[in-house]
């Protein structure tokens, strides 16, 4: 067929395969993109295709295999429904779909990206809304042992986004801010992102969607009005009439203002409007840490609520009352969302009960249920392991049905060992690429990973509390142990930055023996390399502050074993055999608690984990591999976004009639 294929045709196939973000979970398409010139590796595939030269095309046009793969990749791209038929509208301030679309900061965004992908797989009628941040989230570099932050401008068109017709208006503090809307296709799911960087706006208006999670309280209010109010208006302009609005965390709660406005415009009183709107709103709360919840000062909110009190014909105080949290004197977004929704949930069973307690005095608070977070398996499992699973046990391992991973019992030890070793080797190479060759990582050594935001409750430096024991572990040459760390501290979080400095300083000290590495600029590509390369995934937050956590789930799917405090998802998933627990201290005093938990951590590491890994002399004993299989069989069906989205659909979306 190659003589009939023209350059235009081939280019069109490659563009089609790179425009829809379905390539982020299609390993054959990624393999195809792997054949594009290595000089552009790491960039968005659409940019890579646009950069192809005549000589590149001549080479590909002479390669029947390449042509066939490109045609097949374009054929596999799912088509989103062109009609605005979606019944579920999902709102989130960040989306982690690919490292090439830097519109996320961490767990919340990754979860949102995985939610959209699973919705696409399940053919759920869901449409998503968020903001397009021109400067994305900050990039991290380390100089002099300190975190440095910088931003890069992002060009939406080169990242596969398409501008929608029309402009949305939002009143903010008596001025009108205008937004345009971009669309990204995530498989069958459409994602709309609002962007105020327009000549139509004044300087202040332009900056509303500048950066993710930066700026002061007022900036945050403006971003959230853009997302919530602007998001509903954008959906209406595009023709959507969703039955369910799902708030992924309180940041989009202002969408209720617009939904109430629509009802009041029809002649309802505010109270009647609230009763009319509540059945259509689902609220997911994501953190038990008060600092993680938006709490806006009343005097600021008053300026932004004026237009709404006029529209509803009620006082501003009445509106402030809707966001009242007993004991506080602020506009509490979580309290507002609870009052505006009829169904709410936490993100693990433990977090559900912590949330019921925390919000017990807010109407609806005691009825908060729980749906445990999950991750999108085809996005997160290394491609070579996916290929092994597809070949050895069949593609149904990805069904999230009971027993769907049981086939791993028939995979030979050596097959598992070699796939895991390949992952470790790629991690070693990845580290070399990022930090240079000055390290002593070994592709056969027991590898322990830790990567997450450097929020203080996550205690990235807990291991260092007993630096002598850590150093002793790292010095061992007969049973080598190595650590890979990554993570960003929020630019305004000084204590978090200090923790980061301590970790970085230790990593560059002689004590680390080149076996304790910190990878700068944690993002999805770093995360993938770590999940496939780490044997043990470490998580030591202060219980019960970790609402769910998902990185451990991604590690588990890749055959890593979790070693964690009984918090978040692990609290309900640990069964005594599928990993290890760091015992929680009963001490009230933070310093005592840290030192007791650090000491317990080192005990389990030395007495159980290292021994088991090296039990047969070399790397990865038979008993270790038996644990990996057990981990897959118990966690594989459960920790997935497919299971999670099905639960949202059955328990929280459908009760009000969404199909
Ligand atoms: C999974 C993931 C997270 C969230 O991890 P937690 O365990 O929830 O802290 C953050 N960032 C990236 C890049 C991830 O892939």
């Amino acid at each position: 067929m190659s003589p009939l294929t023209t350059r235009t045709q081939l280019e069109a196939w490659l563009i089609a395969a790179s425009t829809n973000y379905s390539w982020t979970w299609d390993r054959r398409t990624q393999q195809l993109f792997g054949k594009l010139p290595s000089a552009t590796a790491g960039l968005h595939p659409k940019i890579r295709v646009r950069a192809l030269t005549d000589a590149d095309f001549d080479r590909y046009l002479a390669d029947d295999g390449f042509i066939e793969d490109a045609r097949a990749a374009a054929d596999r791209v799912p088509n989103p429904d062109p009609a605005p038929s979606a019944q579920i509208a999902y709102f989130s301030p960040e989306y982690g779909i690919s490292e090439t679309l830097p519109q996320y900061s961490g767990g919340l965004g990754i979860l949102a990206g995985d939610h959209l992908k699973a919705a696409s797989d399940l053919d759920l009628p869901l449409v998503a809304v968020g903001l397009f941040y021109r400067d994305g989230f900050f990039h991290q570099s380390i100089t002099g042992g300190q975190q440095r932050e910088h931003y890069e401008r992002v060009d939406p068109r080169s990242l596969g986004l398409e501008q929608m017709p029309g402009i949305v208006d939002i009143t903010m503090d008596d001025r009108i801010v205008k937004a345009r809307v971009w669309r990204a296709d995530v498989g069958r799911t459409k994602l709309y992102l609002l962007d105020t960087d327009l000549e139509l706006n004044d300087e202040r208006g332009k900056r509303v969607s500048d950066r993710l999670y930066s700026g002061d309280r007022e900036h945050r209010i403006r971003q959230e009005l853009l997302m919530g109010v602007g998001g509903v208006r954008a959906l209406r302009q595009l023709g959507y009439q969703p039955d369910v609005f799902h708030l992924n965390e309180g940041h989009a709660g202002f969408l209720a203002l617009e939904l109430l406005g629509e009802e009041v415009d029809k002649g309802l009183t505010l109270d009647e409007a609230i009763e009319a709107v509540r059945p259509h709103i689902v609220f997911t709360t994501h953190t038990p840490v008060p600092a993680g919840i938006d709490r806006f000062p009343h005097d600021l909110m008053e300026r932004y609520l004026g237009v709404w009190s006029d529209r509803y014909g009620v006082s501003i105080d009445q509106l402030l009352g809707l966001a009242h949290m007993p004991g506080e004197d602020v506009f509490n977004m979580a309290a507002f969302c609870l009052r505006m929704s009829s169904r709410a949930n936490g993100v693990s069973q433990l977090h559900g009960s912590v949330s019921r307690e925390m919000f017990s005095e807010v109407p609806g608070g005691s009825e908060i249920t729980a749906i445990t977070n999950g991750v999108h398996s085809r996005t997160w499992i290394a491609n070579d392991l996916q290929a092994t699973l597809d070949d050895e046990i069949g593609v149904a391992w990805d069904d999230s049905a009971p027993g769907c991973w049981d086939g791993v019992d028939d995979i030979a030890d050596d097959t598992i060992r070699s796939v895991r070793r390949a992952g470790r080797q790629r991690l070693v190479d990845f580290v070399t690429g990022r930090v240079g060759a000055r390290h002593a990582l070994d592709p056969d050594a027991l590898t322990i990973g830790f990567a997450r935001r450097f929020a203080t409750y996550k205690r990235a430096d807990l291991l260092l509390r007993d630096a002598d024991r850590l150093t002793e572990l790292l010095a061992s040459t007969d049973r080598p142990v190595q650590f890979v760390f990554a993570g960003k501290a929020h630019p305004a979080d000084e204590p978090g930055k200090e923790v980061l400095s301590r970790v970085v300083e230790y990593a560059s000290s002689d004590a680390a023996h080149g076996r304790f590495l910190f990878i700068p600029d944690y993002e999805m590509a770093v995360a993938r390399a770590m999940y496939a390369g780490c044997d043990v995934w470490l998580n030591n937050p202060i219980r019960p502050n970790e609402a769910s956590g998902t990185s451990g789930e991604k590690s588990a799917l890749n055959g890593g074993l979790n070693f964690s405090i009984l918090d978040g998802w692990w609290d309900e998933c640990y069964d005594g055999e599928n990993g290890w627990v760091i015992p929680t201290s009963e001490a009230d005093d933070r310093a005592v608690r840290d030192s007791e938990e650090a000491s317990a951590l080192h005990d389990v590491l030395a007495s159980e984990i290292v021994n088991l890994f090296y039990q047969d002399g070399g790397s990865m004993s038979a008993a270790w591999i038996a644990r990996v299989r057990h981990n897959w069989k118990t966690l594989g069906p459960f920790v997935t976004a497919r299971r999670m989205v099905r639960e949202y659909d059955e328990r929280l979306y459908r009760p009000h009639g969404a199909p």
Side-chain angles (χ1 to χ4, degrees):
M1 78 172 303
S2 61
L4 301 175
T5 304
T6 62
R7 174 191 161 141
T8 314
Q9 180 62 76
L10 179 59
E11 186 169 11
W13 286 332
L14 291 171
I15 290 291
S18 59
T19 299
N20 187 311
Y21 279 90
S22 55
W23 63 265
T24 60
W25 72 99
D26 184 322
R27 62 184 171 83
R28 284 174 295 172
T29 302
Q30 289 175 25
Q31 220 165 20
L32 173 74
F33 294 154
K35 294 183 185 154
L36 298 174
S38 60
T40 55
L43 298 180
H44 191 288
K46 191 162 175 173
I47 299 176
R48 303 182 69 188
V49 171
R50 293 275 186 230
L52 292 175
T53 62
D54 290 345
D56 293 326
F57 274 109
D58 287 346
R59 208 171 55 250
Y60 297 138
L61 286 167
D63 179 346
D64 285 350
F66 188 94
I67 292 172
E68 187 47 40
D69 290 346
R71 193 187 56 74
D75 276 355
R76 281 196 304 276
V77 173
N79 287 317
D81 185 347
S85 56
Q87 289 299 302
I88 304 150
Y90 181 90
F91 281 63
S92 174
E94 49 169 318
Y95 288 94
I97 290 157
S98 158
E99 63 277 13
T100 62
L101 184 62
Q103 300 288 312
Y104 64 94
S105 97
L108 185 73
I110 306 283
L111 184 83
D114 283 2
H115 199 103
L116 305 196
K117 293 172 183 180
S120 170
D121 292 344
L122 293 166
D123 209 0
L124 202 68
L126 181 144
V127 61
V129 177
L131 300 187
F132 182 77
Y133 305 96
R134 271 307 166 121
D135 294 334
F137 191 59
F138 78 89
H139 291 278
Q140 177 196 57
S141 58
I142 306 289
T143 28
Q146 305 284 328
Q147 167 173 296
R148 295 277 181 284
E149 296 119 25
H150 69 276
Y151 289 86
E152 277 167 25
R153 276 186 85 69
V154 218
D155 167 28
R157 274 176 237 276
S158 68
L159 304 181
L161 274 56
E162 192 183 324
Q163 189 178 339
M164 297 290 99
I167 292 286
V168 177
D169 286 355
I170 309 102
T171 304
M172 294 188 192
D173 196 11
D174 297 336
R175 308 275 306 236
I176 290 182
V177 174
K178 293 177 179 289
R180 72 176 130 186
V181 182
W182 300 95
R183 193 190 79 214
D185 292 337
V186 184
R188 293 191 182 94
T189 309
K190 286 184 277 194
L191 166 60
Y192 294 105
L193 300 170
L194 284 84
D195 170 13
T196 61
D197 186 25
L198 289 173
E199 287 310 318
L200 294 168
N201 287 323
D202 60 18
E203 281 310 308
R204 187 152 185 243
K206 275 183 199 167
R207 280 200 306 271
V208 174
S209 61
D210 57 355
R211 297 171 171 181
L212 174 59
Y213 301 147
S214 81
D216 57 15
R217 296 282 87 197
E218 183 166 4
H219 189 58
R220 186 66 76 83
I221 292 173
R222 294 165 68 84
Q223 289 195 329
E224 297 190 0
L225 282 168
L226 174 63
M227 174 166 54
V229 177
V232 172
R233 289 182 185 166
L235 288 178
R236 298 300 189 218
Q237 281 189 17
L238 291 160
Y240 287 91
Q241 296 298 333
D243 192 56
V244 175
F245 291 83
H246 182 182
L247 307 176
N248 185 43
E249 189 48 289
H251 306 300
F254 291 145
L255 73 77
L257 294 175
E258 178 65 7
L259 295 181
L260 293 175
E262 291 176 347
E263 298 303 319
V264 168
D265 293 351
K266 288 183 212 157
L268 269 54
T269 64
L270 180 60
D271 287 339
E272 290 166 350
I274 292 172
E275 286 320 301
V277 160
R278 285 184 64 244
H280 299 277
I281 300 183
V282 169
F283 169 47
T284 302
T285 175
H286 281 271
T287 180
V289 181
I293 293 173
D294 286 319
R295 284 131 94 235
F296 300 128
H298 280 164
D299 54 344
L300 259 184
M301 279 308 294
E302 281 166 16
R303 286 180 20 220
Y304 287 88
L305 287 174
V307 279
W308 300 98
S309 77
D310 290 349
R311 184 165 172 193
Y312 307 153
V314 303
S315 70
I316 289 186
D317 279 346
Q318 196 176 336
L319 295 185
L320 293 175
L322 295 175
H324 177 63
M325 173 86 173
E328 292 183 357
D329 196 19
V330 292
F331 190 99
N332 182 307
M333 246 348 208
F336 181 66
C337 292
L338 277 170
R339 286 195 182 83
M340 293 301 120
S341 60
S342 61
R343 305 182 293 290
N345 70 296
V347 290
S348 69
Q349 300 309 311
L350 177 62
H351 177 233
S353 65
V354 170
S355 302
R356 283 190 291 277
E357 176 107 350
M358 185 169 163
F359 295 110
S360 62
E361 293 176 58
V362 179
S366 55
E367 283 140 54
I368 296 173
T369 180
I371 293 181
T372 305
N373 283 346
V375 300
H376 189 257
S377 44
R378 292 258 183 212
T379 294
W380 292 108
I381 300 180
N383 286 341
D384 58 344
L385 178 55
Q386 284 189 47
T388 303
L389 294 168
D390 288 347
D391 292 348
E392 300 244 351
I393 67 178
V395 295
W397 63 264
D398 192 27
D399 279 357
S400 302
C404 64
W405 281 75
D406 287 359
V408 296
D409 278 342
D410 302 325
I411 305 181
D413 278 14
D414 277 342
T415 305
I416 294 174
R417 214 174 261 125
S418 93
V419 126
R420 293 288 312 158
R421 188 186 190 282
R424 250 183 256 112
Q425 179 70 60
R426 284 197 306 273
L427 176 60
V428 173
D429 296 343
F430 188 89
V431 169
T432 305
R434 290 270 172 139
V435 307
R438 283 179 49 234
H439 63 74
L441 297 186
D442 170 354
D444 289 307
L446 172 61
T447 306
I448 302 178
F450 181 103
R452 44 183 53 83
R453 278 185 306 122
F454 273 56
T456 45
Y457 78 82
K458 298 195 186 228
R459 296 191 297 191
D461 58 345
L462 193 68
L463 268 172
L464 308 183
R465 288 226 141 218
D466 201 336
D468 291 346
R469 277 178 95 178
L470 177 61
T471 302
E472 193 185 320
L473 203 61
L474 292 165
S476 166
T477 46
D478 57 331
R479 301 194 308 174
V481 181
Q482 56 202 15
F483 290 84
V484 179
F485 272 57
K488 297 173 177 175
H490 188 279
D493 178 9
E494 289 305 330
K497 287 179 168 179
E498 279 168 31
V499 173
L500 193 135
S501 288
R502 275 200 288 285
V503 169
V504 168
E505 192 189 322
Y506 184 84
S508 58
S509 70
D510 290 343
H513 291 82
R515 293 203 181 98
F516 188 111
L517 274 293
F518 181 85
I519 309 180
D521 207 20
Y522 180 45
E523 35 79 357
M524 289 175 76
V526 176
R528 278 198 310 276
M530 288 182 68
Y531 303 136
C534 291
D535 301 288
V536 172
W537 197 254
L538 179 65
N539 186 26
N540 45 234
I542 298 173
R543 188 179 196 268
N545 283 316
E546 187 76 280
S548 168
T550 52
S551 56
E553 300 182 327
K554 294 178 251 177
S555 167
L557 290 177
N558 277 282
L561 297 175
N562 277 268
F563 177 31
S564 171
I565 295 274
L566 276 179
D567 203 0
W569 75 280
W570 189 234
D571 183 62
E572 69 201 73
C573 285
Y574 172 65
D575 75 350
E577 296 288 325
N578 52 10
W580 295 272
V581 160
I582 302 165
T584 299
S585 154
E586 301 291 324
D588 289 330
D589 182 79
R590 170 72 196 270
V592 176
R593 182 170 179 164
D594 285 356
S595 91
E596 287 182 4
E597 292 183 358
S599 153
L601 189 167
H602 279 289
D603 288 345
V604 178
L605 200 52
S607 68
E608 297 187 39
I609 298 179
V610 179
N611 284 342
L612 191 73
F613 190 84
Y614 289 114
Q615 185 170 296
D616 300 344
S619 179
M620 274 191 109
S621 67
W624 185 278
I625 291 173
R627 286 236 184 184
V628 171
R629 283 203 190 86
H630 179 73
N631 149 80
W632 274 332
K633 286 191 290 179
T634 55
L635 300 175
F638 183 75
V639 300
T640 64
R642 185 183 285 263
R643 186 271 311 153
M644 169 183 76
V645 172
R646 266 195 206 128
E647 266 196 66
Y648 274 100
D649 186 31
E650 287 163 13
R651 295 179 46 208
L652 299 183
Y653 296 160
R654 277 199 230 187
H656 192 64

